[in-house]
Amino acid sequence: NLEGLERRLRALEDLEAIKKLQRRYMQLHDRLEFERILDLFTDDAEVEVRSSGVLKGRENFSRIFLDTLGGHRLERHDGHLVGEPVITVEGDTARGHWTVYMFFSVPDIQWVQGRNDCEYVKVDGVWKFSKLRFTRTLASSPELYP
């Protein structure tokens, strides 16, 4: 029936929008555009990157992106590849996780594998991160893991 078809179409559109959000997040990392990353999160989001602890609210989690990641980086020596998404959408909220690979060229060629565990919420028709947790799971060198 038409109602069921509309639900299925909306679910597919939501999945695709969440995938685009994740790709945009990683593209902004690669472009060193850390201020623009903040727009991908709700104001009250929770972010945990590696050993940062859980930082709640834009004022707190912005430090990871603006100070820790962006504070000393004037040029790129790394890149990101994200894949293997597992996403569950329930109305205007969703959960998912992704496998993340980071490749470094300075001082040596190395890599890190990690996992982004995410929660999402649709705000005014736009999907945003409400929680993001990045955990390293493997690396080319022991000092890069965890």
Side-chain angles (χ1 to χ4, degrees):
N1 68 21
L2 187 56
E3 190 175 297
L5 189 57
E6 287 175 346
R7 268 196 315 273
R8 290 174 47 206
L9 178 58
R10 187 169 34 257
L12 289 171
E13 288 174 338
D14 286 338
L15 282 172
E16 189 59 29
I18 291 168
K19 289 177 186 179
K20 286 180 181 179
L21 172 66
Q22 186 70 41
R23 279 194 306 269
R24 182 76 176 136
Y25 173 73
M26 297 315 299
Q27 289 169 343
L28 291 172
H29 270 281
D30 287 344
R31 294 179 188 153
L32 305 178
E33 296 181 37
F34 297 104
E35 281 193 34
R36 294 181 68 192
I37 286 175
L38 302 178
D39 294 333
L40 305 179
F41 290 83
T42 61
D43 289 336
D44 61 347
E46 296 180 11
V47 176
E48 182 178 7
V49 175
R50 206 166 166 209
S51 58
S52 68
V54 177
L55 300 174
K56 298 179 183 182
R58 183 180 301 261
E59 185 176 322
N60 293 315
F61 71 73
S62 66
R63 292 181 299 173
I64 291 174
F65 300 107
L66 301 179
D67 299 338
T68 304
L69 296 174
H72 305 292
R73 296 183 57 192
L74 302 175
E75 56 186 63
R76 284 200 52 213
H77 298 290
D78 66 350
H80 299 83
L81 177 66
V82 181
E84 302 178 347
V86 176
I87 304 166
T88 304
V89 178
E90 295 180 12
D92 287 344
T93 62
R95 300 174 78 95
H97 60 84
W98 303 75
T99 301
V100 179
Y101 286 94
M102 292 179 280
F103 302 95
F104 303 93
S105 62
V106 172
D108 298 310
I109 295 174
Q110 297 193 15
W111 57 268
V112 171
Q113 175 185 302
R115 178 175 157 140
N116 274 346
D117 289 286
C118 305
E119 292 184 20
Y120 312 91
V121 63
K122 193 187 288 188
V123 179
D124 296 326
V126 177
W127 285 99
K128 294 188 174 222
F129 292 99
S130 59
K131 289 186 182 182
L132 182 138
R133 180 175 188 239
F134 174 75
T135 308
R136 289 186 176 186
T137 55
L138 194 58
S140 60
S141 180
E143 65 268 9
L144 295 175
Y145 172 76

